[in-house]
Amino acid sequence: MSAPERIPPRSVTPPEPPAGSLAELLTEGELTVRGRIRDASNAALYCTVARDGREAACVYKPVAGERPLWDFPDGTLAQREVAAYEVSEATGWGLVPVTVLRDGPYGEGMVQQWIEAAPDAELLALVDAEEPEPGWKAIGLAEVGDGRTALLVHADDPRLRRLAVLDAVINNADRKGGHLLPAGDRLYGIDHGVTFHAEDKLRTLLWGWAGEPLTEEALAVLGGLREALADGGSLATRLGELITPAETAATRARVEALLATGTHPEPGGEWPAIPWPPV
């Protein structure tokens, strides 16, 4: 079966960022490439951005450096990264670093606030046990070599639980451990290029709450998203500039489904539930 033809990216006009904000600095500042992030699957450049005496570190992912994906033929990774940030901001949880779309040294791309992750944070672990200890949630069994298996677990952390809800909304097909950046009291998720597909493609390490009731906080946030995603709503309008109408409609439907069931989603069985490699 031949791969579907890739639809060319659309021209997107970024919204006007608030004056003096980090978004303004990332959008309007002079972008200087300092080096390449070698372990990224697509072109990812470590940069600084400076304007009016302010400077910040950031990541720049030019559209020109994206590898075409046969199962994500519409739009660009950069647009979906910005769309994920917009949804995160609409939740009020601030789970995605500030992310903008702008021109850079290698053309249009995504520019995102650089986050220095805490090196000693424990969010994932492999344990030689059948059940997780208190404070941890089971993901599943993993092969560890010599025919042995261990239980893969993640922390029973409310920040991770919020991120699991966000991933269910944006249909994240690649939530790996390396995409979790704890920084002080905050937790950020990054690398949202394979999201928003109209078909169910949720792949994540955060299955520990699968089938459990959503928190009251999550239900309230989802209610706010439903309003923002209604026709003419602020979020629907912004997503309409970044993803396709079908993808926006599917996002709205996922929010409605979460509110209707009142539970965290469970693996569907038709798509690998856990990304590989998991970290």
Side-chain angles (χ1 to χ4, degrees), residues 42-54:
N42 293 276
L45 306 172
Y46 177 77
C47 302
T48 55
V49 60
R51 185 171 189 252
D52 297 334
R54 299 176 65 202

Side-chain angles (χ1 to χ4, degrees), residues 76-113:
T76 66
L77 303 180
Q79 288 171 323
R80 290 190 288 271
E81 293 249 32
V82 176
Y85 167 71
E86 296 289 348
V87 175
S88 169
E89 288 299 284
T91 67
W93 285 334
L95 296 170
V96 178
V98 178
T99 311
V100 303
L101 201 65
R102 60 164 289 176
D103 285 330
Y106 301 104
E108 184 179 71
M110 179 277 283
V111 174
Q112 185 176 79
Q113 171 191 10

Side-chain angles (χ1 to χ4, degrees), residues 9-127:
R10 291 161 290 158
S11 176
V12 177
T13 302
E16 189 69 25
S21 67
L22 178 57
E24 181 189 44
L25 177 61
L26 294 176
T27 303
E28 304 293 343
E30 181 180 357
L31 195 62
T32 303
V33 176
R34 302 297 183 184
R36 182 166 185 173
I37 301 173
R38 294 291 180 181
D39 57 354
S41 56
N42 293 276
L45 306 172
Y46 177 77
C47 302
T48 55
V49 60
R51 185 171 189 252
D52 297 334
R54 299 176 65 202
E55 183 174 290
C58 59
V59 178
Y60 165 46
K61 297 182 181 180
V63 171
E66 296 181 3
R67 298 178 182 176
L69 300 175
W70 69 266
D71 53 341
F72 281 82
D74 298 342
T76 66
L77 303 180
Q79 288 171 323
R80 290 190 288 271
E81 293 249 32
V82 176
Y85 167 71
E86 296 289 348
V87 175
S88 169
E89 288 299 284
T91 67
W93 285 334
L95 296 170
V96 178
V98 178
T99 311
V100 303
L101 201 65
R102 60 164 289 176
D103 285 330
Y106 301 104
E108 184 179 71
M110 179 277 283
V111 174
Q112 185 176 79
Q113 171 191 10
W114 177 265
I115 300 296
E116 288 289 348
D120 56 349
E122 293 188 3
L123 298 175
L124 299 167
L126 282 169
V127 295

